[in-house]
Amino acid sequence: EVELVESGGGLVQPGGSLRLSCAASGFTFSSYWMTWVRQTPGKGLEWVATINQDGSENYYVDSVKGRFTISRDNAKNSLYLQLNSLRAEDTAVYYCGGGSWFDYWGQGTLVTVSS
Amino acid sequence: QTVVTQEPSLTVSPGGTVTLTCASSTGAVTSDNYPNWFQQKPGQAPRALIYTTSNKHSWTPARFSGSLLGGKAALTVSGVQPEDEAEYYCLLHNGAGWVFGGGTKLTVL
């Protein structure tokens, strides 16, 4: 059974940092592009970042460029998102997803940026 | 900055047919935008339904179909079931990354 489990969310002050993790199982993690998506409570989905199979290519939405970094460790079947210089508008549930075409999704981890 | 537009809400009767659309501010949506469709119910993660315009995942019910229609991506649900009440999101590739539409709240009434 495919499973994606996010962790690392929490309450952080503006300007602070967090590192989100996503543990994958049940599929060949190293074969697929992986993605982070976020959702502000009560609002729509926003694509955040995507990384290719070996980590050599990554893409970001403009609003997080220079602040967030997506990475992966194929030996650990894990995806990461380093969030720096956090702002109130980064408050959201962060989902990791992947597969051939965004097939699989975790249940999300909540990041709250507030003083 | 690409803006992807969906109908904010639609209502359909059980057993009916409804089409949701997905438009891009940069012009006609084509297969090169690799349209994807997702379903999301309250408190749940998104669930993938359609990829690359019209391809179904193994778990996608047959009543869901994807297409290109009048310069937009479209998701048609034929024979709507009560459990199809949900938010539906399209996702388009714009060359620099991906952009979600604002979502369509589908009510089955």
Side-chain angles (χ1 to χ4, degrees):
Chain A
E1 180 188 0
V2 172
E3 195 170 25
L4 292 170
V5 180
E6 301 93 338
S7 61
L11 175 63
V12 61
Q13 292 187 338
S17 298
L18 278 177
R19 189 194 197 205
L20 308 183
S21 299
C22 172
S25 60
F27 68 107
T28 308
F29 178 78
S30 60
S31 295
Y32 298 109
W33 291 68
M34 295 296 295
T35 290
W36 287 98
V37 161
R38 66 185 178 183
Q39 186 168 36
T40 303
K43 298 290 179 64
L45 298 169
E46 180 183 34
W47 170 77
V48 175
T50 292
I51 189 168
N52 71 338
Q53 290 92 332
D54 66 4
S56 61
E57 295 180 49
N58 46 65
Y59 303 91
Y60 301 91
V61 67
D62 285 348
S63 60
V64 309
K65 283 181 182 175
R67 300 189 300 122
F68 291 8
T69 303
I70 189 172
S71 62
R72 65 191 297 161
D73 185 336
N74 288 339
K76 295 182 178 180
N77 287 342
S78 292
L79 177 72
Y80 306 101
L81 187 67
Q82 178 68 40
L83 291 66
N84 296 331
S85 303
L86 281 162
R87 306 167 181 167
E89 54 265 35
D90 296 319
T91 294
V93 174
Y94 285 73
Y95 296 100
C96 72
S100 299
W101 286 100
F102 308 100
D103 307 40
Y104 314 123
W105 293 92
Q107 287 305 304
T109 186
L110 176 62
V111 172
T112 303
V113 184
S114 175
S115 54
Chain B
Q1 179 80 350
T2 303
V3 177
V4 177
T5 302
Q6 300 181 241
E7 298 86 0
S9 64
L10 292 169
T11 300
V12 61
S13 299
T17 297
V18 64
T19 296
L20 291 66
T21 67
C22 175
S24 173
S25 63
T26 60
V29 176
T30 72
S31 57
D32 290 340
N33 296 117
Y34 308 107
N36 283 257
W37 289 92
F38 300 86
Q39 178 192 66
Q40 188 179 36
K41 296 182 178 180
Q44 296 184 14
R47 182 173 80 131
L49 291 176
I50 300 289
Y51 62 97
T52 57
T53 305
S54 58
N55 293 287
K56 299 177 188 181
H57 294 277
S58 59
W59 52 82
T60 303
R63 61 184 179 273
F64 290 89
S65 62
S67 63
L68 294 176
L69 200 63
K72 300 178 183 180
L75 175 71
T76 299
V77 189
S78 304
V80 170
Q81 301 297 304
E83 61 265 28
D84 298 333
E85 183 162 296
E87 194 85 22
Y88 291 84
Y89 294 93
C90 66
L91 177 65
L92 301 180
H93 190 260
N94 68 354
W98 296 88
V99 183
F100 278 100
T104 296
K105 168 65 177 169
L106 182 65
T107 300
V108 182
L109 205 57

